[in-house]
Amino acid sequence: SIVYSTPCMIPKEGTDSNLFIPSRVKLTADMISYKVIEHIDHNISQSFTVQELADHVGLSRHYFMHLFKKETGYSPQEYVSVARINYAKLMLRTTALTIAEIADYLGYSSSASFINAFRMRRGISPNQYRKMYASKTTQA
C-alpha cells in the first residue's frame, strides 16, 4: 500500500511543490534555498548530506549552510527534519500506513527513531497524532 498511496501525495509539476515548508519560511524562485527545498521535497525519502545539498546548487558547503540559514531560518539538517515530520503528519492523516511503513518510507533507521523525532517536534507520538486527527474528523 505504501507504493500506491505515497506517490499520490507527491506534488504534481506546476503545483505548489513546497507543501512541507514550515510556515515561517517565505521563499522566492530566485533564492538558492528554493532549489534545494524543491530537491528535498521531491526526494523526501532519501538521506541528504549538507555537502550533497551544496553540490546540488554549486556552492561550497560552508557558504551554502550560511545562505540557507539566512534565507530560511533553518539549518539544512533542521529543514530536512522538519520537512520529514510535516510529510509524516500528512501521511498519518491521509493513509492507513503503519508507523513502521511511514518511518521506513521517510528514511528513518527505525520506527523508534521516527517516533522519537516526531515526539520531539510535535510533543505527541505519531499514534496519538493520528488518533487526535481521526477524532477531529469524526466530530465534524
Side-chain angles (χ1 to χ4, degrees):
S1 68
I2 196 167
V3 173
Y4 172 74
S5 60
T6 304
C8 296
M9 294 184 290
I10 296 173
K12 305 281 188 268
E13 295 254 348
T15 64
D16 181 11
S17 61
N18 300 318
L19 294 176
F20 312 110
I21 295 177
S23 59
R24 75 176 193 198
V25 177
K26 304 294 182 223
L27 297 173
T28 61
D30 60 332
M31 293 177 146
I32 295 294
S33 299
Y34 183 86
K35 290 181 180 182
V36 173
I37 287 174
E38 266 194 336
H39 178 68
I40 292 167
D41 287 349
H42 287 281
N43 300 287
I44 196 75
S45 63
Q46 294 180 6
S47 295
F48 303 99
T49 66
V50 174
Q51 187 62 55
E52 288 168 341
L53 296 174
D55 290 346
H56 184 72
V57 289
L59 296 175
S60 73
R61 182 180 181 279
H62 179 75
Y63 184 65
F64 165 70
M65 289 175 61
H66 168 76
L67 190 61
F68 193 90
K69 177 81 171 186
K70 180 180 173 190
E71 289 181 354
T72 67
Y74 290 95
S75 71
Q77 303 95 321
E78 189 178 21
Y79 176 80
V80 170
S81 177
V82 170
R84 283 194 175 128
I85 296 302
N86 287 343
Y87 201 85
K89 287 170 32 185
L90 177 65
M91 293 175 81
L92 290 164
R93 290 191 313 260
T94 60
T95 72
L97 295 174
T98 66
I99 300 303
E101 289 171 325
I102 293 171
D104 184 55
Y105 179 78
L106 292 176
Y108 286 90
S109 59
S110 68
S111 296
S113 64
F114 166 64
I115 291 166
N116 289 337
F118 194 94
R119 186 172 303 193
M120 185 179 80
R121 293 255 177 224
R122 302 300 311 154
I124 59 174
S125 73
N127 275 329
Q128 289 170 320
Y129 181 85
R130 179 175 267 164
K131 287 176 185 173
M132 183 178 70
Y133 183 79
S135 68
K136 285 181 182 181
T137 57
T138 55
Q139 291 175 0

